[in-house]
Amino acid sequence: MSGRWARTFLTAYRFAGAAAYPLIGPYVAWRTSRGKEDRIRRRERYGIAGRERPEGPVIWIHAASVGETIAVVPLVESILDYGVNIVLTTGTVTSAQVADERLGDRIIHQYVPLDLKPAVSRFLDHWRPDLAIIAESEIWPMTILELGARRVPQVLVNGRLSDRSFKSWKKRANIAEALFENLAHVVAQSEIDGERFLSLGARPVTVSGNLKVDTTPPPADERALYTLKRQIGVRPTWAAISTHDGEEVVAAEVHAMLHKRHHGLLTIVVPRHPDRAEALAAQISGMGLKVARRSKGERITADTDILLGDTIGEMGLYLRLTEIAFVGRSLTSEGGQNPLEPAMLDTAVLAGRNVQNFRETYQRLLDSGGAKLVRDRDMLAGAVNFLLSNEVARHEMMAAGAATVDEMRGALALTLKSLEPYIQPLVVKSRLKGANGR
């Protein structure tokens, strides 16, 4: 498809309205299912605002899920210091809770509208954003095209393209270019991401590093932490966090292999999707292991083998209970999960080899000795056994990970520098409006 025909296709797509639904309907339906909807505020997904638009300039910032929301919190706080209104959209109930906990009423939170012309148009008609900032890899064609048609500057921050996404876009290079030319600026996480965006037609592209590095460690409720530490006592522990299907069983098998060698061993398993907890508890119990579920308030007793962390928003709690963490979606699944949070909390990081989505972060941790990749269950068991048995080596690995995170900081300052040409005119406009209003 030539560039001209790609633009013709996207123009037709933009003006097709509801008729375009068959092109993306199944994907939208999938994204808005799986228990992610807030029924009371469902109208927001159709672009029907739940709040009045404030006076003065408005910046729309979008962060899809929990990880992206946490990553943009320092950025949002920095922009708020300029005195500009912010509408923050997210796509899940959990990310909305995170936004409320960390930003409160300093911002206006809305659920992101479906990427359908009627919903996007209603949203934009109401909020009339002066600038749109999109986090990471949320490429919504209709939204990008509508913002472009209204000449609203769009900046992609903390931008990344996974191997799979990049391969998919390359097959549709002309469509990608026709979309990405609507972006005023792309601030990429890494040199690889920057090169990928450039090859797909984005201009200009700068590299900032990962905004997630400039966040604070995940918090923990002090009372809950004290209670769990008392229950655990001096027992040795290790954790398997952000696990995907199959990795929980691997963690349970590692526990069975090591618990006689390390008396009183407690394994903490934190599935990425806690809604799988019922089935996981039954599966692990069927292996002859005793499970305590955090969501049910079950106590950790002397004969508890597995603490199942089946709650949301308590990663900081689980990581503070151990000095060793295997990070999932890397052994039986692909892509990996973010290793920065355990590294920030002085935890030795282990992972499988399928960590493509966080390649640069893992490479930095591997180079410094703050992380180790394992091939399979037996290699994971060997790594956990080694770290449990060697306090000096474990603490060296923990310190290396924390030092690496400190060295990687600075993405927030570079991102703000890239955003300055778009934000400063709004600051001036806001101050002028305030002065004229007095």
Side-chain angles (χ1 to χ4, degrees), residues 66-67 70 94 98 101-102 216-221 224-225 228-229 238-244 248 268-274 294 307-329 337-347 349:
V66 173
I70 293 172
T94 310
V98 169
E101 290 167 3
R102 304 203 179 192
T216 56
D221 180 271
L225 182 61
L228 290 178
K229 282 189 171 181
W238 76 286
I241 66 169
S242 299
T243 52
H244 285 241
E248 297 87 5
I268 303 162
V269 177
V270 187
R272 176 69 171 174
H273 302 294
R294 168 71 179 152
L307 169 61
L308 186 58
D310 55 344
T311 54
I312 292 173
E314 292 194 309
M315 186 62 77
L317 175 68
Y318 301 125
L319 287 172
R320 285 175 173 85
L321 298 175
T322 188
E323 294 180 342
I324 305 166
F326 165 80
V327 183
R329 199 186 177 189
Q337 295 288 171
N338 184 11
L340 289 170
E341 289 184 344
M344 285 178 188
L345 288 170
D346 298 310
T347 307
V349 174

Short mmCIF file of all heavy atoms in Angstrom, two decimals, residues 66-67 70 94 98 101-102 216-221 224-225 228-229 238-244 248 268-274 294 307-329 337-347 349:
data_model
loop_
_atom_site.label_atom_id
_atom_site.label_comp_id
_atom_site.label_asym_id
_atom_site.label_seq_id
_atom_site.Cartn_x
_atom_site.Cartn_y
_atom_site.Cartn_z
N VAL A 66 -1.89 -0.02 35.06
CA VAL A 66 -1.26 0.34 36.33
C VAL A 66 0.19 0.78 36.14
O VAL A 66 0.60 1.82 36.64
CB VAL A 66 -1.34 -0.84 37.32
CG1 VAL A 66 -0.53 -0.54 38.58
CG2 VAL A 66 -2.78 -1.12 37.70
N GLY A 67 0.97 -0.03 35.41
CA GLY A 67 2.38 0.30 35.23
C GLY A 67 2.59 1.65 34.59
O GLY A 67 3.44 2.44 35.04
N ILE A 70 1.60 4.51 37.10
CA ILE A 70 2.65 4.76 38.09
C ILE A 70 3.81 5.50 37.45
O ILE A 70 4.39 6.43 38.04
CB ILE A 70 3.11 3.42 38.70
CG1 ILE A 70 1.98 2.81 39.54
CG2 ILE A 70 4.37 3.62 39.54
CD1 ILE A 70 2.27 1.40 40.03
N THR A 94 -8.28 -0.66 38.19
CA THR A 94 -7.12 -0.65 39.08
C THR A 94 -6.25 0.58 38.84
O THR A 94 -5.78 1.22 39.79
CB THR A 94 -6.27 -1.92 38.87
OG1 THR A 94 -7.12 -3.06 38.92
CG2 THR A 94 -5.22 -2.04 39.95
N VAL A 98 -5.16 3.69 41.38
CA VAL A 98 -3.79 4.18 41.56
C VAL A 98 -3.75 5.70 41.37
O VAL A 98 -3.12 6.43 42.14
CB VAL A 98 -2.82 3.49 40.59
CG1 VAL A 98 -1.46 4.18 40.59
CG2 VAL A 98 -2.66 2.02 40.95
N GLU A 101 -5.26 7.35 44.41
CA GLU A 101 -4.40 7.26 45.59
C GLU A 101 -3.21 8.21 45.51
O GLU A 101 -2.82 8.80 46.52
CB GLU A 101 -3.89 5.82 45.75
CG GLU A 101 -4.97 4.82 46.15
CD GLU A 101 -4.51 3.38 45.99
OE1 GLU A 101 -3.32 3.17 45.63
OE2 GLU A 101 -5.32 2.46 46.22
N ARG A 102 -2.64 8.36 44.32
CA ARG A 102 -1.38 9.11 44.20
C ARG A 102 -1.56 10.56 43.77
O ARG A 102 -0.68 11.38 44.02
CB ARG A 102 -0.44 8.38 43.25
CG ARG A 102 -0.18 6.95 43.68
CD ARG A 102 1.08 6.39 43.14
NE ARG A 102 1.32 5.03 43.60
CZ ARG A 102 2.45 4.37 43.46
NH1 ARG A 102 3.47 4.94 42.86
NH2 ARG A 102 2.59 3.13 43.91
N THR A 216 9.03 6.41 42.60
CA THR A 216 9.40 5.96 43.94
C THR A 216 9.07 4.47 44.07
O THR A 216 8.21 3.96 43.35
CB THR A 216 8.66 6.75 45.02
OG1 THR A 216 7.23 6.64 44.79
CG2 THR A 216 9.06 8.21 44.99
N PRO A 217 9.72 3.75 44.98
CA PRO A 217 9.40 2.33 45.17
C PRO A 217 7.93 2.16 45.55
O PRO A 217 7.33 3.05 46.17
CB PRO A 217 10.32 1.90 46.33
CG PRO A 217 11.43 2.89 46.31
CD PRO A 217 10.81 4.19 45.86
N PRO A 218 7.33 1.03 45.19
CA PRO A 218 5.93 0.81 45.55
C PRO A 218 5.76 0.81 47.07
O PRO A 218 6.59 0.24 47.78
CB PRO A 218 5.62 -0.57 44.95
CG PRO A 218 6.95 -1.23 44.78
CD PRO A 218 7.92 -0.12 44.49
N PRO A 219 4.71 1.45 47.56
CA PRO A 219 4.53 1.58 49.01
C PRO A 219 4.02 0.30 49.64
O PRO A 219 3.61 -0.64 48.95
CB PRO A 219 3.49 2.70 49.12
CG PRO A 219 2.68 2.56 47.85
CD PRO A 219 3.65 2.13 46.80
N ALA A 220 4.03 0.26 50.96
CA ALA A 220 3.48 -0.87 51.71
C ALA A 220 2.81 -0.35 52.96
O ALA A 220 3.30 0.59 53.60
CB ALA A 220 4.59 -1.86 52.07
N ASP A 221 1.70 -0.96 53.30
CA ASP A 221 1.01 -0.62 54.55
C ASP A 221 1.86 -1.12 55.73
O ASP A 221 2.15 -2.30 55.84
CB ASP A 221 -0.37 -1.28 54.58
CG ASP A 221 -1.13 -0.96 55.85
OD1 ASP A 221 -0.98 -1.72 56.83
OD2 ASP A 221 -1.87 0.03 55.87
N ALA A 224 0.30 -3.89 57.98
CA ALA A 224 0.25 -5.20 57.32
C ALA A 224 1.65 -5.81 57.23
O ALA A 224 1.84 -7.01 57.43
CB ALA A 224 -0.36 -5.06 55.93
N LEU A 225 2.65 -4.97 56.92
CA LEU A 225 4.02 -5.45 56.82
C LEU A 225 4.51 -5.98 58.16
O LEU A 225 5.12 -7.06 58.23
CB LEU A 225 4.93 -4.30 56.34
CG LEU A 225 6.40 -4.63 56.13
CD1 LEU A 225 6.57 -5.72 55.07
CD2 LEU A 225 7.18 -3.38 55.75
N LEU A 228 2.76 -9.43 58.87
CA LEU A 228 3.29 -10.54 58.08
C LEU A 228 4.72 -10.90 58.49
O LEU A 228 5.07 -12.09 58.54
CB LEU A 228 3.24 -10.20 56.60
CG LEU A 228 1.84 -10.13 55.98
CD1 LEU A 228 1.93 -9.74 54.51
CD2 LEU A 228 1.11 -11.45 56.12
N LYS A 229 5.53 -9.91 58.80
CA LYS A 229 6.89 -10.20 59.25
C LYS A 229 6.90 -10.97 60.56
O LYS A 229 7.73 -11.87 60.76
CB LYS A 229 7.70 -8.90 59.38
CG LYS A 229 8.19 -8.35 58.05
CD LYS A 229 9.15 -7.19 58.24
CE LYS A 229 9.81 -6.79 56.93
NZ LYS A 229 10.78 -5.69 57.11
N TRP A 238 11.66 -16.51 49.45
CA TRP A 238 11.92 -16.01 48.11
C TRP A 238 10.56 -15.79 47.45
O TRP A 238 9.54 -16.30 47.94
CB TRP A 238 12.79 -16.97 47.28
CG TRP A 238 12.07 -18.19 46.75
CD1 TRP A 238 11.67 -19.28 47.48
CD2 TRP A 238 11.65 -18.41 45.41
NE1 TRP A 238 11.04 -20.19 46.68
CE2 TRP A 238 11.01 -19.69 45.40
CE3 TRP A 238 11.75 -17.70 44.22
CZ2 TRP A 238 10.47 -20.24 44.23
CZ3 TRP A 238 11.22 -18.25 43.06
CH2 TRP A 238 10.58 -19.51 43.07
N ALA A 239 10.51 -15.00 46.39
CA ALA A 239 9.24 -14.65 45.77
C ALA A 239 9.27 -14.87 44.26
O ALA A 239 10.31 -14.71 43.62
CB ALA A 239 8.87 -13.20 46.06
N ALA A 240 8.13 -15.25 43.73
CA ALA A 240 7.90 -15.28 42.28
C ALA A 240 6.78 -14.28 42.02
O ALA A 240 5.64 -14.51 42.43
CB ALA A 240 7.51 -16.67 41.82
N ILE A 241 7.10 -13.15 41.37
CA ILE A 241 6.14 -12.06 41.23
C ILE A 241 5.74 -11.85 39.77
O ILE A 241 6.47 -12.23 38.86
CB ILE A 241 6.70 -10.74 41.81
CG1 ILE A 241 7.91 -10.27 41.00
CG2 ILE A 241 7.06 -10.91 43.28
CD1 ILE A 241 8.37 -8.86 41.34
N SER A 242 4.58 -11.24 39.60
CA SER A 242 4.06 -10.94 38.24
C SER A 242 4.09 -12.18 37.37
O SER A 242 4.43 -12.14 36.19
CB SER A 242 4.87 -9.81 37.59
OG SER A 242 4.80 -8.63 38.34
N THR A 243 3.70 -13.31 37.95
CA THR A 243 3.76 -14.59 37.24
C THR A 243 2.59 -14.76 36.30
O THR A 243 1.49 -14.26 36.53
CB THR A 243 3.78 -15.76 38.24
OG1 THR A 243 2.68 -15.61 39.16
CG2 THR A 243 5.08 -15.79 39.01
N HIS A 244 2.84 -15.50 35.23
CA HIS A 244 1.82 -15.86 34.25
C HIS A 244 1.61 -17.37 34.27
O HIS A 244 2.33 -18.10 34.96
CB HIS A 244 2.22 -15.36 32.86
CG HIS A 244 2.06 -13.88 32.70
ND1 HIS A 244 1.23 -13.31 31.77
CD2 HIS A 244 2.62 -12.84 33.37
CE1 HIS A 244 1.28 -11.99 31.87
NE2 HIS A 244 2.12 -11.69 32.83
N GLU A 248 3.50 -20.19 38.18
CA GLU A 248 3.15 -20.45 39.57
C GLU A 248 3.46 -21.90 39.95
O GLU A 248 3.98 -22.17 41.04
CB GLU A 248 1.67 -20.14 39.83
CG GLU A 248 1.28 -18.69 39.62
CD GLU A 248 0.91 -18.35 38.19
OE1 GLU A 248 0.87 -19.29 37.36
OE2 GLU A 248 0.65 -17.17 37.91
N ILE A 268 6.72 -17.01 48.22
CA ILE A 268 5.67 -16.00 48.00
C ILE A 268 5.38 -15.96 46.51
O ILE A 268 6.28 -15.70 45.70
CB ILE A 268 6.13 -14.62 48.49
CG1 ILE A 268 6.52 -14.68 49.97
CG2 ILE A 268 5.04 -13.57 48.26
CD1 ILE A 268 7.37 -13.50 50.43
N VAL A 269 4.15 -16.24 46.12
CA VAL A 269 3.76 -16.26 44.72
C VAL A 269 2.74 -15.15 44.48
O VAL A 269 1.68 -15.12 45.12
CB VAL A 269 3.16 -17.63 44.31
CG1 VAL A 269 2.70 -17.60 42.85
CG2 VAL A 269 4.19 -18.74 44.52
N VAL A 270 3.07 -14.22 43.58
CA VAL A 270 2.20 -13.08 43.29
C VAL A 270 1.81 -13.13 41.82
O VAL A 270 2.57 -12.66 40.95
CB VAL A 270 2.90 -11.75 43.62
CG1 VAL A 270 1.91 -10.58 43.48
CG2 VAL A 270 3.50 -11.77 45.02
N PRO A 271 0.65 -13.69 41.49
CA PRO A 271 0.25 -13.79 40.08
C PRO A 271 -0.06 -12.42 39.48
O PRO A 271 -0.58 -11.53 40.17
CB PRO A 271 -1.00 -14.67 40.12
CG PRO A 271 -1.54 -14.50 41.51
CD PRO A 271 -0.35 -14.28 42.39
N ARG A 272 0.25 -12.26 38.22
CA ARG A 272 -0.03 -11.00 37.53
C ARG A 272 -1.53 -10.72 37.52
O ARG A 272 -1.96 -9.57 37.64
CB ARG A 272 0.50 -11.09 36.09
CG ARG A 272 0.21 -9.88 35.22
CD ARG A 272 0.98 -8.67 35.64
NE ARG A 272 0.85 -7.58 34.69
CZ ARG A 272 1.33 -6.37 34.88
NH1 ARG A 272 1.97 -6.07 35.99
NH2 ARG A 272 1.18 -5.43 33.95
N HIS A 273 -2.33 -11.77 37.39
CA HIS A 273 -3.79 -11.62 37.36
C HIS A 273 -4.38 -12.36 38.56
O HIS A 273 -4.58 -13.58 38.51
CB HIS A 273 -4.35 -12.17 36.05
CG HIS A 273 -3.79 -11.50 34.83
ND1 HIS A 273 -4.02 -10.18 34.53
CD2 HIS A 273 -2.99 -11.97 33.84
CE1 HIS A 273 -3.39 -9.86 33.41
NE2 HIS A 273 -2.76 -10.92 32.97
N PRO A 274 -4.69 -11.65 39.65
CA PRO A 274 -5.18 -12.28 40.86
C PRO A 274 -6.51 -13.03 40.70
O PRO A 274 -6.86 -13.85 41.54
CB PRO A 274 -5.35 -11.10 41.84
CG PRO A 274 -4.44 -10.05 41.32
CD PRO A 274 -4.46 -10.21 39.83
N ARG A 294 -3.55 -14.30 50.73
CA ARG A 294 -3.55 -12.95 51.30
C ARG A 294 -4.93 -12.31 51.21
O ARG A 294 -5.36 -11.62 52.13
CB ARG A 294 -2.50 -12.11 50.56
CG ARG A 294 -2.55 -10.61 50.83
CD ARG A 294 -2.08 -10.28 52.21
NE ARG A 294 -2.13 -8.83 52.42
CZ ARG A 294 -2.29 -8.26 53.58
NH1 ARG A 294 -2.43 -9.00 54.69
NH2 ARG A 294 -2.34 -6.95 53.70
N LEU A 307 2.73 -18.44 50.35
CA LEU A 307 1.87 -17.27 50.54
C LEU A 307 1.44 -16.82 49.15
O LEU A 307 2.28 -16.41 48.35
CB LEU A 307 2.62 -16.14 51.26
CG LEU A 307 1.90 -14.78 51.29
CD1 LEU A 307 0.57 -14.87 52.01
CD2 LEU A 307 2.80 -13.71 51.92
N LEU A 308 0.15 -16.93 48.87
CA LEU A 308 -0.37 -16.54 47.56
C LEU A 308 -0.81 -15.08 47.63
O LEU A 308 -1.81 -14.75 48.28
CB LEU A 308 -1.54 -17.44 47.17
CG LEU A 308 -2.11 -17.25 45.75
CD1 LEU A 308 -1.04 -17.44 44.69
CD2 LEU A 308 -3.27 -18.22 45.51
N GLY A 309 -0.06 -14.22 46.98
CA GLY A 309 -0.33 -12.78 47.00
C GLY A 309 -1.39 -12.41 45.98
O GLY A 309 -1.06 -11.78 44.96
N ASP A 310 -2.62 -12.78 46.26
CA ASP A 310 -3.71 -12.59 45.30
C ASP A 310 -4.46 -11.29 45.55
O ASP A 310 -5.69 -11.26 45.59
CB ASP A 310 -4.66 -13.79 45.32
CG ASP A 310 -5.20 -14.08 46.72
OD1 ASP A 310 -4.64 -13.57 47.71
OD2 ASP A 310 -6.19 -14.84 46.82
N THR A 311 -3.72 -10.21 45.74
CA THR A 311 -4.31 -8.89 45.93
C THR A 311 -3.71 -7.93 44.91
O THR A 311 -2.69 -8.22 44.29
CB THR A 311 -4.04 -8.36 47.35
OG1 THR A 311 -2.63 -8.38 47.60
CG2 THR A 311 -4.76 -9.19 48.39
N ILE A 312 -4.36 -6.78 44.76
CA ILE A 312 -3.89 -5.76 43.82
C ILE A 312 -3.33 -4.59 44.61
O ILE A 312 -3.88 -4.18 45.63
CB ILE A 312 -5.05 -5.31 42.92
CG1 ILE A 312 -5.47 -6.45 41.98
CG2 ILE A 312 -4.66 -4.08 42.10
CD1 ILE A 312 -6.71 -6.15 41.16
N GLY A 313 -2.23 -4.03 44.15
CA GLY A 313 -1.67 -2.83 44.76
C GLY A 313 -0.80 -3.08 45.97
O GLY A 313 -0.48 -2.14 46.70
N GLU A 314 -0.38 -4.33 46.19
CA GLU A 314 0.45 -4.63 47.36
C GLU A 314 1.82 -5.20 46.99
O GLU A 314 2.46 -5.87 47.81
CB GLU A 314 -0.28 -5.60 48.30
CG GLU A 314 -1.48 -5.01 48.98
CD GLU A 314 -1.98 -5.85 50.14
OE1 GLU A 314 -2.19 -7.08 49.96
OE2 GLU A 314 -2.16 -5.29 51.23
N MET A 315 2.29 -4.91 45.79
CA MET A 315 3.60 -5.43 45.40
C MET A 315 4.70 -4.95 46.34
O MET A 315 5.63 -5.69 46.67
CB MET A 315 3.93 -5.01 43.97
CG MET A 315 5.21 -5.64 43.42
SD MET A 315 5.14 -7.45 43.36
CE MET A 315 4.11 -7.66 41.90
N GLY A 316 4.59 -3.71 46.79
CA GLY A 316 5.57 -3.19 47.73
C GLY A 316 5.60 -3.98 49.02
O GLY A 316 6.67 -4.13 49.64
N LEU A 317 4.47 -4.48 49.45
CA LEU A 317 4.39 -5.31 50.65
C LEU A 317 5.12 -6.63 50.44
O LEU A 317 5.97 -7.03 51.25
CB LEU A 317 2.92 -5.55 51.00
CG LEU A 317 2.63 -6.51 52.16
CD1 LEU A 317 3.08 -5.89 53.48
CD2 LEU A 317 1.14 -6.85 52.22
N TYR A 318 4.81 -7.32 49.34
CA TYR A 318 5.41 -8.64 49.09
C TYR A 318 6.92 -8.54 48.90
O TYR A 318 7.66 -9.39 49.40
CB TYR A 318 4.76 -9.28 47.86
CG TYR A 318 3.27 -9.46 48.00
CD1 TYR A 318 2.38 -8.93 47.05
CD2 TYR A 318 2.73 -10.16 49.07
CE1 TYR A 318 1.02 -9.08 47.19
CE2 TYR A 318 1.36 -10.31 49.22
CZ TYR A 318 0.50 -9.76 48.27
OH TYR A 318 -0.85 -9.92 48.41
N LEU A 319 7.38 -7.50 48.20
CA LEU A 319 8.81 -7.37 47.95
C LEU A 319 9.59 -7.07 49.22
O LEU A 319 10.78 -7.39 49.32
CB LEU A 319 9.07 -6.30 46.90
CG LEU A 319 8.70 -6.69 45.46
CD1 LEU A 319 8.83 -5.49 44.53
CD2 LEU A 319 9.58 -7.83 44.96
N ARG A 320 8.94 -6.46 50.20
CA ARG A 320 9.62 -6.16 51.46
C ARG A 320 9.69 -7.37 52.39
O ARG A 320 10.26 -7.28 53.48
CB ARG A 320 8.92 -4.99 52.16
CG ARG A 320 9.21 -3.64 51.51
CD ARG A 320 8.41 -2.51 52.16
NE ARG A 320 8.82 -1.20 51.66
CZ ARG A 320 8.36 -0.62 50.58
NH1 ARG A 320 7.44 -1.26 49.83
NH2 ARG A 320 8.78 0.57 50.21
N LEU A 321 9.13 -8.49 51.95
CA LEU A 321 9.17 -9.72 52.75
C LEU A 321 10.30 -10.65 52.31
O LEU A 321 10.46 -11.73 52.88
CB LEU A 321 7.84 -10.47 52.64
CG LEU A 321 6.59 -9.73 53.15
CD1 LEU A 321 5.34 -10.55 52.87
CD2 LEU A 321 6.71 -9.42 54.64
N THR A 322 11.07 -10.25 51.30
CA THR A 322 12.09 -11.15 50.76
C THR A 322 13.26 -10.37 50.20
O THR A 322 13.18 -9.15 50.01
CB THR A 322 11.49 -12.05 49.66
OG1 THR A 322 12.43 -13.06 49.29
CG2 THR A 322 11.09 -11.23 48.45
N GLU A 323 14.35 -11.09 49.92
CA GLU A 323 15.52 -10.48 49.28
C GLU A 323 15.81 -11.11 47.92
O GLU A 323 16.80 -10.76 47.28
CB GLU A 323 16.75 -10.64 50.19
CG GLU A 323 16.64 -9.84 51.49
CD GLU A 323 17.85 -10.00 52.39
OE1 GLU A 323 18.63 -10.96 52.20
OE2 GLU A 323 18.01 -9.15 53.30
N ILE A 324 14.93 -12.02 47.49
CA ILE A 324 15.10 -12.71 46.21
C ILE A 324 13.77 -12.71 45.47
O ILE A 324 12.75 -13.14 46.03
CB ILE A 324 15.55 -14.18 46.42
CG1 ILE A 324 16.81 -14.26 47.27
CG2 ILE A 324 15.77 -14.88 45.07
CD1 ILE A 324 17.11 -15.66 47.78
N ALA A 325 13.76 -12.25 44.24
CA ALA A 325 12.51 -12.22 43.48
C ALA A 325 12.73 -12.69 42.04
O ALA A 325 13.56 -12.14 41.32
CB ALA A 325 11.91 -10.81 43.48
N PHE A 326 11.97 -13.71 41.66
CA PHE A 326 11.87 -14.10 40.25
C PHE A 326 10.76 -13.28 39.62
O PHE A 326 9.64 -13.22 40.15
CB PHE A 326 11.55 -15.60 40.14
CG PHE A 326 11.07 -16.01 38.76
CD1 PHE A 326 11.98 -16.22 37.74
CD2 PHE A 326 9.72 -16.17 38.49
CE1 PHE A 326 11.56 -16.58 36.47
CE2 PHE A 326 9.28 -16.53 37.24
CZ PHE A 326 10.20 -16.74 36.22
N VAL A 327 11.05 -12.62 38.49
CA VAL A 327 10.07 -11.77 37.82
C VAL A 327 9.50 -12.53 36.63
O VAL A 327 10.24 -12.96 35.75
CB VAL A 327 10.71 -10.44 37.36
CG1 VAL A 327 9.65 -9.54 36.73
CG2 VAL A 327 11.37 -9.73 38.55
N GLY A 328 8.19 -12.67 36.60
CA GLY A 328 7.53 -13.57 35.66
C GLY A 328 7.31 -13.04 34.26
O GLY A 328 7.86 -12.04 33.83
N ARG A 329 6.46 -13.79 33.56
CA ARG A 329 6.20 -13.63 32.13
C ARG A 329 7.50 -13.75 31.34
O ARG A 329 7.70 -13.10 30.32
CB ARG A 329 5.53 -12.29 31.82
CG ARG A 329 4.83 -12.26 30.45
CD ARG A 329 4.31 -10.90 30.10
NE ARG A 329 3.72 -10.88 28.77
CZ ARG A 329 3.34 -9.78 28.13
NH1 ARG A 329 3.47 -8.60 28.71
NH2 ARG A 329 2.83 -9.85 26.93
N GLN A 337 8.34 -8.93 32.58
CA GLN A 337 7.70 -7.86 33.34
C GLN A 337 8.80 -6.96 33.90
O GLN A 337 9.97 -7.31 33.90
CB GLN A 337 6.85 -8.42 34.48
CG GLN A 337 5.65 -9.26 34.04
CD GLN A 337 4.51 -8.46 33.43
OE1 GLN A 337 3.57 -9.02 32.87
NE2 GLN A 337 4.59 -7.16 33.49
N ASN A 338 8.39 -5.81 34.38
CA ASN A 338 9.32 -4.79 34.82
C ASN A 338 10.14 -5.23 36.05
O ASN A 338 9.56 -5.51 37.09
CB ASN A 338 8.53 -3.51 35.14
CG ASN A 338 9.40 -2.36 35.51
OD1 ASN A 338 10.62 -2.41 35.35
ND2 ASN A 338 8.79 -1.30 36.01
N PRO A 339 11.49 -5.29 35.94
CA PRO A 339 12.31 -5.68 37.09
C PRO A 339 12.73 -4.51 37.97
O PRO A 339 13.47 -4.70 38.95
CB PRO A 339 13.54 -6.30 36.42
CG PRO A 339 13.71 -5.48 35.19
CD PRO A 339 12.31 -5.12 34.73
N LEU A 340 12.30 -3.29 37.64
CA LEU A 340 12.79 -2.12 38.35
C LEU A 340 12.30 -2.06 39.80
O LEU A 340 13.06 -1.68 40.69
CB LEU A 340 12.37 -0.85 37.61
CG LEU A 340 13.09 -0.60 36.29
CD1 LEU A 340 12.43 0.54 35.53
CD2 LEU A 340 14.56 -0.29 36.52
N GLU A 341 11.04 -2.43 40.04
CA GLU A 341 10.52 -2.33 41.40
C GLU A 341 11.28 -3.23 42.38
O GLU A 341 11.68 -2.76 43.45
CB GLU A 341 9.01 -2.63 41.41
CG GLU A 341 8.19 -1.52 40.78
CD GLU A 341 6.70 -1.77 40.87
OE1 GLU A 341 6.31 -2.93 41.15
OE2 GLU A 341 5.92 -0.83 40.67
N PRO A 342 11.51 -4.52 42.06
CA PRO A 342 12.32 -5.31 42.99
C PRO A 342 13.74 -4.77 43.14
O PRO A 342 14.30 -4.78 44.26
CB PRO A 342 12.30 -6.72 42.38
CG PRO A 342 11.81 -6.57 40.99
CD PRO A 342 10.95 -5.34 40.99
N ALA A 343 14.34 -4.29 42.05
CA ALA A 343 15.70 -3.75 42.15
C ALA A 343 15.73 -2.52 43.05
O ALA A 343 16.67 -2.33 43.83
CB ALA A 343 16.23 -3.41 40.75
N MET A 344 14.70 -1.66 42.94
CA MET A 344 14.62 -0.47 43.80
C MET A 344 14.57 -0.84 45.28
O MET A 344 15.07 -0.10 46.13
CB MET A 344 13.35 0.33 43.47
CG MET A 344 13.38 1.12 42.20
SD MET A 344 11.77 1.93 41.99
CE MET A 344 11.95 2.59 40.33
N LEU A 345 13.94 -1.97 45.57
CA LEU A 345 13.74 -2.39 46.96
C LEU A 345 14.82 -3.38 47.40
O LEU A 345 14.57 -4.24 48.23
CB LEU A 345 12.34 -2.97 47.14
CG LEU A 345 11.23 -1.93 47.10
CD1 LEU A 345 9.85 -2.58 47.04
CD2 LEU A 345 11.31 -1.02 48.33
N ASP A 346 16.02 -3.24 46.85
CA ASP A 346 17.17 -4.04 47.28
C ASP A 346 16.88 -5.54 47.24
O ASP A 346 17.09 -6.25 48.22
CB ASP A 346 17.60 -3.63 48.69
CG ASP A 346 18.04 -2.18 48.76
OD1 ASP A 346 18.87 -1.78 47.93
OD2 ASP A 346 17.55 -1.45 49.63
N THR A 347 16.40 -5.98 46.08
CA THR A 347 16.07 -7.39 45.90
C THR A 347 16.90 -7.97 44.76
O THR A 347 17.02 -7.34 43.70
CB THR A 347 14.56 -7.55 45.58
OG1 THR A 347 13.80 -6.89 46.58
CG2 THR A 347 14.17 -9.01 45.55
N VAL A 349 17.39 -9.98 41.60
CA VAL A 349 16.40 -10.24 40.55
C VAL A 349 16.79 -11.46 39.73
O VAL A 349 17.90 -11.56 39.21
CB VAL A 349 16.26 -9.01 39.63
CG1 VAL A 349 15.34 -9.32 38.45
CG2 VAL A 349 15.74 -7.81 40.41
#
